[in-house]
Amino acid sequence: MIDKIKELIAEADAFKAETKEEVEAFRIQYLGKKGLLNQYFAEFKNVANEQKKEFGQAVNALKKAAEEKVNALKEELESKEEVKGVYGDLSRPGEPVNLGARHPISIVKNQIIDIFSNIGFNVSEGPEIEDDWHNFTALNLPEYHPARDMQDTFFIQTNPDVLLRTHTSSVQVRYMEKNQPPIRTISPGRVYRNEAISARSHCFFHQIEGLYIDKEVSFADLKQTLQYFTTQLFGKSKIRLRPSYFPFTEPSAEIDVYWGLETESDYRITKGTGWLEIGGCGMVDPNVLENCNIDSKEYSGFAFGVGIDRIAMLLHQINDIRLLSENDVRFLEQFKSAL
Ligand code: PHE
C-alpha cells in the first residue's frame, strides 16, 4: 500500500493542467471528501501498528504533494489569464496602423517654406487677433483711408482696435519693429475676411508673405525672386507683373504666372487667357519702413503675398475651397502619399 502511495505522489508531482476544470478534477480526486486522501486516512485504523508511522508519513507526504500541486497550478493559470486580459490573444494577426495624412494646406505651406529657405529666408509668425496699428495704420492705411474697404474686416466685439487680421502683412510690421535690415523673412498664416462663402472664396484662408529689405534692393530683385519661386513650385518660369495698387507698396503689381493652354482644365482655370493670378507684390512704401523705425533713405525692399489655398487647389485639383476646412476624412485621406 505504501508503494501505491509513493506512486500516487509521483503522479501528483508530474500532473499538468491547462484549464481550471482540470485542476478542480485533480483536487477532487486527491483532496475531495471521497478522494484518495480521505480513503487512506480511513484505512489508517486497519494498518498494523508497526507500520502506522511509515504509513502516516506517506499519506501526509501525498497530502502535501497534492495541495502544493493544486496551489501551484491555480497560480500559474491565473497569471496566464492576467496576461491575456492585458494583451488579448497574443497569437492573433496584428492590426494595421492607420497612417494619418498632412493637410493639403500644410503640404503646400511647407513646400513654399522650403523653397524660400533655400535662398536665405527665415519663417516668422504673428497673432491672428491683431490691433489696428499692425494690420492697417503701420501699413500706410490710416483711419478713414478708402483702401481699408478693400478688405472686409471682422472686428472683435465692438472694439474697432481689435480685429482678425485680414492679411499676413501684419506679421511683417511686427518683424520690422523687432529686427533691423538685412531682412529676409516669410510669414505664413491664416487670415480672415468678411466675404460670402462660395466654392472660390471663404471667410478665412491662408497667405504666405515675403519681405526682403536691404541696401539697394530693386524691382528687378523682386521679379527674379518671384521667378525662382514659380519655377520651383509650378515648374513655370514665365511670369508677368501687372501694375496694381496696395497702400503699403509703391509701385505695386499683381503676380501672374503663365500656366499655358494645353489642356481643357488650363482653359478653365485661366479663363482662356493662359495667365493665372497668384498674388500681389511691390516695393515696400518708404512710409511703412519709417513706421517700423527703418531708415528709408538707407534701405529699400520688396514684399509679396500669395494665397496658399488657391495654390493648393491648383496643385491638387481641388475644385471647392470649402473642402479645405470641412475636415471630411474621405477628402483628407487622399493626401497620404503627398509630402
Ligand atoms: N497683403 C496683400 C493682400 O492681402 C498682398 C500683398 C502683400 C501685396 C505684399 C503686396 C505686398 O492682399
Side-chain angles (χ1 to χ4, degrees):
M1 200 155 48
I2 288 174
D3 288 344
K4 176 72 190 157
I5 295 174
K6 285 189 175 150
E7 247 172 61
L8 285 170
I9 293 176
E11 266 174 42
D13 280 340
F15 180 74
K16 286 194 172 66
E18 292 290 322
T19 65
K20 279 187 173 172
E21 288 71 29
E22 284 168 4
V23 179
E24 182 60 8
F26 173 87
R27 192 190 65 77
I28 291 170
Q29 188 195 348
Y30 280 83
L31 304 163
K33 240 186 200 168
K34 292 179 185 164
L36 290 167
L37 269 160
N38 276 347
Q39 284 173 31
Y40 285 119
F41 282 132
E43 203 63 37
F44 194 71
K45 58 181 186 301
N46 302 327
V47 174
N49 270 347
E50 64 276 14
Q51 281 190 347
K52 270 200 161 70
K53 187 175 171 201
E54 201 188 343
F55 181 82
Q57 279 172 347
V59 175
N60 273 332
L62 177 61
K63 186 178 176 213
K64 202 173 150 216
E67 280 174 350
E68 275 174 6
K69 187 52 124 188
V70 169
N71 288 339
L73 285 174
K74 272 190 183 162
E75 234 172 67
E76 192 186 311
L77 287 176
E78 268 167 24
S79 75
K80 264 195 199 161
E81 241 171 43
E82 262 170 39
V83 172
K84 259 195 179 173
V86 175
Y87 298 111
D89 177 2
L90 289 175
S91 63
R92 77 192 190 287
E95 284 166 25
V97 178
N98 211 354
L99 279 185
R102 279 201 198 289
H103 193 281
I105 294 286
S106 300
I107 295 170
V108 171
K109 182 182 86 175
N110 290 340
Q111 271 176 314
I112 300 177
I113 289 175
D114 280 350
I115 291 171
F116 282 103
S117 313
N118 284 342
I119 52 170
F121 281 72
N122 66 11
V123 177
S124 49
E125 283 179 342
E128 292 181 17
I129 300 175
E130 260 302 358
D131 51 39
D132 182 281
W133 168 257
H134 292 98
N135 197 78
F136 290 128
T137 309
L139 288 161
N140 211 21
L141 275 147
E143 218 184 334
Y144 304 121
H145 192 292
R148 284 194 178 204
D149 296 341
M150 280 164 68
Q151 305 179 344
D152 300 303
T153 310
F154 283 117
F155 291 94
I156 305 276
Q157 293 182 336
T158 50
N159 185 349
D161 191 42
V162 186
L163 48 92
L164 293 176
R165 66 181 177 198
T166 58
H167 50 189
T168 40
S169 306
S170 56
V171 184
Q172 307 186 342
V173 174
R174 287 181 179 274
Y175 194 85
M176 285 189 279
E177 283 174 343
K178 291 214 182 76
N179 299 277
Q180 280 295 310
I183 289 173
R184 291 179 188 78
T185 189
I186 46 168
S187 323
R190 180 176 282 179
V191 301
Y192 301 82
R193 291 185 198 175
N194 191 0
E195 278 175 21
I197 298 172
S198 71
R200 293 293 297 161
S201 64
H202 212 298
C203 61
F204 60 81
F205 52 98
H206 303 79
Q207 284 188 330
I208 193 156
E209 293 206 11
L211 178 70
Y212 187 117
I213 298 176
D214 208 337
K215 288 180 182 155
E216 293 171 31
V217 179
S218 72
F219 202 86
D221 297 321
L222 168 59
K223 185 165 185 189
Q224 286 271 303
T225 306
L226 292 172
Q227 218 162 11
Y228 158 78
F229 167 61
T230 60
T231 311
Q232 294 287 312
L233 189 63
F234 305 117
K236 310 209 185 251
S237 60
K238 191 164 156 186
I239 62 168
R240 121 185 133 182
L241 298 176
R242 222 169 352 102
S244 183
Y245 173 75
F246 298 104
F248 30 88
T249 47
E250 179 59 37
S252 307
E254 311 276 355
I255 312 162
D256 293 345
V257 179
Y258 189 69
W259 200 255
L261 284 173
E262 273 155 38
T263 66
E264 207 178 306
S265 100
D266 291 348
Y267 272 88
R268 188 165 38 82
I269 59 178
T270 68
K271 300 194 182 86
T273 64
W275 291 97
L276 199 68
E277 184 192 321
I278 59 159
C281 67
M283 302 304 292
V284 181
D285 193 300
N287 287 343
V288 176
L289 295 177
E290 295 296 334
N291 283 340
C292 302
N293 304 320
I294 291 176
D295 185 350
S296 64
K297 292 194 187 64
E298 202 178 344
Y299 294 106
S300 57
F302 61 75
F304 55 87
V306 295
I308 300 178
D309 307 60
R310 290 263 164 91
I311 293 178
M313 290 168 75
L314 206 56
L315 290 177
H316 295 283
Q317 276 119 54
I318 300 163
N319 58 14
D320 191 325
I321 196 171
R322 289 169 288 198
L323 286 166
L324 293 171
S325 52
E326 277 166 358
N327 281 338
D328 185 332
V329 191
R330 292 167 301 178
F331 169 73
L332 297 173
E333 265 178 353
Q334 297 176 44
F335 298 93
K336 272 186 184 163
S337 59
L339 300 174

